[in-house]
């Protein structure tokens, strides 16, 4: 008889979207549970269990924003064999990582006005900045995406079962490889924004070549090019392709380099004004994984 | 960077393109123009080779400033290398400055092979500004 795999599902700071994505997998998951292959031992969203002793795999979503997250991440890391960073927040920092452009004091006073920053002992205190899991604990596998495509989750779980390494699960394929739009090897001479000039519904031309800022060329494949297919430029939620042994900085740099080369804007200095929000465009999800993860004063 | 000897501070890494920037630096030397010794020159085939990764890596290694020297517009040996380089440089500079890195730490200059004096001036000016700013926040 095959050994039963024990599973932990939990979430740190995040939007719970990753769990919704996981629920789409419920049928195959239920099948495995019925066949006694998988056992869920700890999952606050599903079960009443308040603790667990040991588990094989933990699907941990969300990023580390406050002291409770940090404690929880370390607690789960100690008790499981394989920790899987699930979703963009756990893997690279996530969209709320853009909050790192402000200090936490600015964030609090920006929302609540002039309040006393001394918080009570019972409430978890905010950390200096949002961190992806890898900055605090060892991560064995990752599931990218905001939220992850159910197929991607299934692919990773299958890969773990077969004992593959993370870079063997994901080949270095990009969204462009999955995208049906046609390239004509042309470059755009100005940056278009969807909000000003909507994409033609029947278009079959590459969005980047039309002038929309699409991060497809360097974003990891797996979503099936959902957005470009419907005429929305890719925003890079799957994270950039990171080759084995490479840092996130290099992946970010490669993205900037490819966009910088594909827009023929004259004079070249104007590209920053054309893009308007450079940091929000290139680092919508990946800022906490950059070598400067937050604003330095 | 070798850890054995203490490098002079501030330390500037200059990526110079072979046909203009490096020739300009060469002319500064041949003409015996005196300038600050705080610059380490890396000779590259074209400034178009220099992308965000090189600027990030230099800062991570602990250089206080990064200087990219390319040809004037229209002078590039490879026709459009300096345009591409300038676009990439503008983007990474915008990202670094919005994260709080001082604007003076990264700089792009157009220097032709005949402008030895200009090269010396740029290095002197940048060294003076970096000295006022103090060491880079990434020095290990």
């Amino acid at each position: 008889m095959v050994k039963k795999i024990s599973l932990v599902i939990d979430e740190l700071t995040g939007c719970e979207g990753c769990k919704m994505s996981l629920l789409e997998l419920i049928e195959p998951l239920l099948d495995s549970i019925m066949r006694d292959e998988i056992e869920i031992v700890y999952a606050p969203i599903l079960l009443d269990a308040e603790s667990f002793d040991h588990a094989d795999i933990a699907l941990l979503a969300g990023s580390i924003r406050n002291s409770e997250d940090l404690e929880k991440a370390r607690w789960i890391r100690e008790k499981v064999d394989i920790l899987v960073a699930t979703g963009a927040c756990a893997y690279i920092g996530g969209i709320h990582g853009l909050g790192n452009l402000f200090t936490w004091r600015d964030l609090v006073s920006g929302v609540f006005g002039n309040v006393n920053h001394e918080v009570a002992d019972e409430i978890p205190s905010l950390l200096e900045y949002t961190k992806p899991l890898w900055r605090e604990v060892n991560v064995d596998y990752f599931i990218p995406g905001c939220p992850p495509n159910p197929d991607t989750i299934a692919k990773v779980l299958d890969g773990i079962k077969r004992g593959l390494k993370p870079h063997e699960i994901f080949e270095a394929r990009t969204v462009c490889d999955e995208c049906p739009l046609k390239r004509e090897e042309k470059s755009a001479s100005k940056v278009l924004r969807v909000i000003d000039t909507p994409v033609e519904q029947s278009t079959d031309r590459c969005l980047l070549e039309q002038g929309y800022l699409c991060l497809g060329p360097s974003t990891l494949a797996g979503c099936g090019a959902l957005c470009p297919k419907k005429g929305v430029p890719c925003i890079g939620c799957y994270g950039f392709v990171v080759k084995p042994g490479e840092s996130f900085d290099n992946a970010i740099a490669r993205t900037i380099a490819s966009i910088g080369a594909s827009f023929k804007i004259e004079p070249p200095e104007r590209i920053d004004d054309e893009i308007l929000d450079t940091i929000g465009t290139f680092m919508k999800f990946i800022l906490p994984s950059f070598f400067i993860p937050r604003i330095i004063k | 960077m070798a850890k054995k000897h203490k490098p002079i501070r501030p330390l500037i890494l200059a990526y110079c393109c072979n046909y203009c920037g490096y020739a300009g630096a060469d002319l500064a030397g041949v003409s015996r123009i005196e300038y600050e010794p705080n610059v380490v020159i890396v000779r590259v085939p074209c400034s178009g080779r220099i992308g965000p990764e090189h600027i990030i890596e230099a800062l991570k290694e602990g250089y206080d400033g990064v200087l990219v020297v390319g040809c004037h517009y229209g002078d590039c040996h490879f026709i459009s290398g300096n345009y591409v380089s300038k676009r990439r440089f503008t983007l990474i500079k915008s990202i670094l400055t919005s994260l709080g890195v001082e604007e003076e730490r990264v700089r792009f200059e157009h220097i032709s092979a005949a402008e030895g004096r200009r090269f010396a001036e740029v290095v002197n000016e940048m060294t003076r500004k970096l000295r006022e700013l103090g060491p880079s926040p990434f020095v290990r």
Side-chain angles (χ1 to χ4, degrees):
Chain A
M1 197 189 130
V2 193
K3 197 182 157 279
K4 205 190 261 185
I5 297 170
S6 47
L7 199 63
V8 168
I9 300 166
D10 204 354
E11 173 128 1
L12 310 176
T13 298
C15 67
E16 312 278 327
C18 300
K19 281 174 185 165
M20 291 297 133
S21 208
L22 207 63
L23 283 183
E24 288 204 26
L25 268 185
I26 200 75
E27 273 182 28
L29 213 59
L30 273 179
D31 274 357
S32 314
I33 292 171
M34 298 294 268
R35 274 187 272 122
D36 252 8
E37 287 171 6
I38 289 182
E39 184 192 13
I40 298 178
V41 290
Y42 176 78
I45 195 174
L46 296 170
L47 307 178
D48 217 12
E50 283 182 359
S51 183
F52 66 104
D53 292 328
H54 178 263
D56 297 323
I57 301 173
L59 297 178
L60 193 53
S63 60
I64 298 175
R65 172 79 255 197
N66 57 33
S67 55
E68 188 201 359
D69 294 338
L70 187 55
E71 205 173 297
K72 211 186 210 174
R74 288 180 178 156
W75 180 71
I76 288 180
R77 173 71 269 190
E78 264 178 30
K79 286 168 176 263
V80 299
D81 293 339
I82 295 170
L83 182 66
V84 186
T86 309
C89 294
Y91 169 41
I92 45 181
I95 200 157
H96 56 270
L98 281 178
N100 288 359
L101 288 172
F102 309 89
T103 60
W104 73 267
R105 275 169 203 284
D106 285 352
L107 283 177
V108 172
S109 55
V111 176
F112 299 107
N114 251 341
V115 290
N116 188 7
H117 289 303
E118 305 292 322
V119 277
D121 290 342
E122 298 87 39
I123 304 170
S125 56
L126 283 182
L127 298 180
E128 286 283 308
Y129 62 101
T130 305
K131 297 169 186 175
L133 281 185
W134 66 266
R135 283 199 188 270
E136 289 294 341
V137 294
N138 285 330
V139 177
D140 302 304
Y141 289 87
F142 64 88
I143 302 174
C146 184
N149 191 325
D151 294 344
T152 312
I153 303 180
K155 193 166 118 182
V156 173
L157 289 179
D158 184 54
I160 296 172
K161 224 160 90 183
R162 291 195 287 142
L164 298 179
K165 298 264 184 322
H167 66 267
E168 291 167 339
I169 297 176
F170 294 100
E171 301 151 38
R173 290 179 77 232
T174 63
V175 172
C176 283
D177 294 333
E178 296 185 331
C179 181
L181 301 182
K182 289 187 191 73
R183 276 199 247 187
E184 294 163 356
E185 308 298 325
K186 284 179 190 164
S187 37
S189 55
K190 64 176 188 172
V191 179
L192 300 178
R193 297 163 72 79
V194 181
I195 200 164
D196 302 329
T197 36
V199 182
E200 285 174 44
Q201 276 307 306
S202 57
T203 191
D204 61 346
R205 281 185 59 210
C206 173
L207 296 178
L208 197 59
E209 286 177 6
Q210 291 183 43
Y212 298 99
L213 251 170
C214 177
L215 295 187
S218 50
T219 302
L220 194 63
C223 57
L226 277 179
C227 303
K229 245 188 227 169
K230 295 278 178 277
V232 179
C234 175
I235 53 174
C237 72
Y238 263 58
F240 302 136
V241 172
V242 181
K243 291 168 189 163
E246 199 185 43
S247 67
F248 285 106
D249 307 332
N250 257 1
I252 295 167
R254 209 171 328 111
T255 310
I256 297 169
S258 77
I259 297 290
S262 55
F263 281 92
K264 295 243 178 314
I265 290 169
E266 310 250 342
E269 300 88 88
R270 261 193 50 236
I271 192 165
D272 189 32
D273 304 332
E274 289 258 335
I275 290 181
L276 283 178
D277 179 15
T278 309
I279 195 158
T281 306
F282 291 105
M283 299 198 185
K284 199 169 271 172
F285 295 91
I286 210 167
L287 176 62
S289 293
F290 194 47
F291 85 110
I292 319 171
R294 57 170 168 151
I295 192 157
I296 41 176
K297 285 272 163 167
Chain B
M1 204 185 303
K3 291 258 161 69
K4 280 177 218 155
H5 56 87
K6 220 175 155 202
I8 44 171
R9 291 285 174 190
L11 197 56
I12 302 167
L13 187 67
Y15 293 110
C16 294
C17 85
N18 189 19
Y19 297 91
C20 299
Y22 193 82
D26 204 22
L27 184 67
V30 172
S31 324
R32 314 243 170 144
I33 302 170
E34 283 190 15
Y35 60 91
E36 302 274 0
N38 304 32
V39 63
V40 176
I41 296 177
V42 176
R43 181 185 187 173
V44 288
C46 175
S47 58
R49 178 68 193 89
I50 299 306
E53 65 270 33
H54 302 98
I55 293 159
I56 291 174
E57 201 58 36
L59 289 175
K60 271 162 90 176
E61 283 290 315
Y63 287 92
D64 296 295
V66 187
L67 175 64
V68 181
V69 186
C71 306
H72 287 278
Y73 291 140
D75 283 357
C76 180
H77 189 79
F78 303 98
I79 299 167
S80 62
N82 51 354
Y83 289 86
V84 173
S85 181
K86 184 67 193 259
R87 267 182 231 122
R88 291 172 172 167
F89 178 86
T90 312
L91 291 179
I92 189 68
K93 183 171 179 174
S94 150
I95 284 174
L96 290 174
T97 44
S98 40
L99 283 168
V101 176
E102 295 92 344
E103 210 177 315
E104 289 84 1
R105 290 206 190 277
V106 280
R107 181 163 175 176
F108 192 102
E109 275 299 329
H110 302 279
I111 295 175
S112 81
E115 294 174 319
R117 193 161 294 283
R118 173 83 185 129
F119 181 84
E121 275 169 20
V122 167
V123 171
N124 284 344
E125 197 183 305
M126 199 167 165
T127 311
R128 203 186 62 240
K129 276 182 183 159
L130 289 180
R131 209 169 267 148
E132 284 165 19
L133 284 179
S136 148
F138 313 111
V139 175
R140 277 174 285 181

